[in-house]
Amino acid sequence: MRKNNVIWLFASILIVISLVACGNEENPSKSSKDSNSKSNSVENSTTSTEKPKSKTSDDNNQVEDKDKKETEEDVYTASSDKKSDPQTSGNLLNKNKVFKYKDGSVVMTLTKAEFTKKFGPSNASPENDEAYRETTSDSQTYLHLTGKIKNDTKNSFSFGNKLGEINFSLLYDGEHEFQNISSAEEENGTKLGPSNIDALTEGKIHVYFQVPKPVSKTNKPLILTVILGDEPFEITLR
């Protein structure tokens, strides 16, 4: 009887040992399976992250190809904005120019020289078109001088014409010469009249040259010559 108990005890121990061994064998298998699953997940993750890198690389290549193409080309872009021609050029005189004639009894002062398409007397009404001078050709403009003459002599003083004692000429680029037309203001500055100043008076004057428009648009030399009697005085306008 006692012998049988020993045998059963020994058999029970073997069964327990056998069960423990089986449990240990299943765990490594499960661990291996989990490990393989994690490995596959990492690989899949790596693969998915590599795709954007490949796309970025392609984009960079496209940018490099575009830059390379641009460096091989000269690109010229025309402006769609049409610039209007300037109506005036500003004052070409850096300061007032004073000329004394007949021992100072006649004094002429030029205050402004500018390119313009239209001008008129100082007090002219804008609605009075007849008071203004305007070029009729788009290819022409005026070089317009303004100033005043003080006449302290006993006689009317004439200027800017064939019989005038003061005259003007304009030389462009050393070879193109232009002749003037002159007027004096009258009727309180509302009208342009003949080019003479009454005795013992002072009058506002206008001297103008009609010139081709290119004269106003270049930086080529422009010389105004003022002739007092027979004596010329040159003024560099540009």
Side-chain angles (χ1 to χ4, degrees):
M1 183 71 177
R2 187 175 181 180
K3 184 178 179 179
N4 289 335
N5 291 335
V6 172
I7 291 171
W8 279 107
L9 179 61
F10 182 75
S12 298
I13 293 172
L14 290 177
I15 290 171
V16 171
I17 292 173
S18 177
L19 291 173
V20 172
C22 289
N24 289 337
E25 288 179 0
E26 289 178 359
N27 288 338
S29 176
K30 184 177 181 182
S31 176
S32 175
K33 185 177 180 180
D34 292 342
S35 177
N36 290 335
S37 177
K38 290 181 179 179
S39 176
N40 291 335
S41 177
V42 171
E43 290 178 358
N44 292 335
S45 176
T46 303
T47 303
S48 64
T49 56
E50 286 177 352
K51 288 183 180 179
K53 290 184 179 179
S54 177
K55 184 177 181 181
T56 302
S57 177
D58 292 341
D59 291 343
N60 290 336
N61 290 335
Q62 291 178 1
V63 172
E64 289 177 358
D65 292 342
K66 183 179 179 181
D67 291 342
K68 183 178 180 181
K69 184 178 180 180
E70 288 181 351
T71 57
E72 293 174 351
E73 297 176 344
D74 290 327
V75 181
Y76 301 89
T77 304
S79 173
S80 60
D81 296 331
K82 184 178 179 181
K83 296 181 179 179
S84 59
D85 294 331
Q87 294 299 308
T88 60
S89 61
N91 193 357
L92 297 179
L93 297 178
N94 56 0
K95 60 181 70 175
N96 291 350
K97 307 298 181 181
V98 180
F99 301 86
K100 295 182 179 181
Y101 183 59
K102 288 190 173 182
D103 297 327
S105 58
V106 175
V107 178
M108 180 180 70
T109 303
L110 298 179
T111 58
K112 193 172 186 178
E114 64 177 350
F115 289 106
T116 184
K117 295 281 292 181
K118 181 180 180 179
F119 68 90
S122 53
N123 296 322
S125 171
E127 289 79 20
N128 185 9
D129 292 335
E130 294 182 357
Y132 291 85
R133 302 287 186 271
E134 184 174 5
T135 57
T136 57
S137 172
D138 290 336
S139 63
Q140 299 287 310
T141 190
Y142 289 128
L143 174 66
H144 176 224
L145 309 174
T146 53
K148 60 184 179 180
I149 291 179
K150 184 178 180 181
N151 177 20
D152 284 338
T153 68
K154 298 178 180 179
N155 302 307
S156 176
F157 184 83
S158 182
F159 67 96
N161 54 60
K162 292 181 179 180
L163 300 177
E165 297 183 69
I166 295 181
N167 254 301
F168 310 85
S169 68
L170 183 69
L171 184 65
Y172 169 66
D173 197 23
E175 57 180 336
H176 304 283
E177 188 170 359
F178 303 93
Q179 300 302 316
N180 80 97
I181 304 173
S182 297
S183 293
E185 292 187 7
E186 56 184 26
E187 297 182 12
N188 296 320
T190 60
K191 182 180 178 181
L192 292 175
S195 56
N196 58 70
I197 306 296
D198 291 338
L200 302 176
T201 62
E202 180 177 279
K204 293 183 179 180
I205 65 171
H206 297 258
V207 180
Y208 51 103
F209 303 84
Q210 185 166 318
V211 299
K213 189 177 289 185
V215 175
S216 67
K217 292 185 174 183
T218 70
N219 291 321
K220 293 181 179 180
L222 191 63
I223 307 297
L224 171 69
T225 299
V226 179
I227 305 167
L228 305 182
D230 295 325
E231 190 173 0
F233 297 88
E234 289 189 352
I235 301 173
T236 301
L237 299 177
R238 190 176 63 204

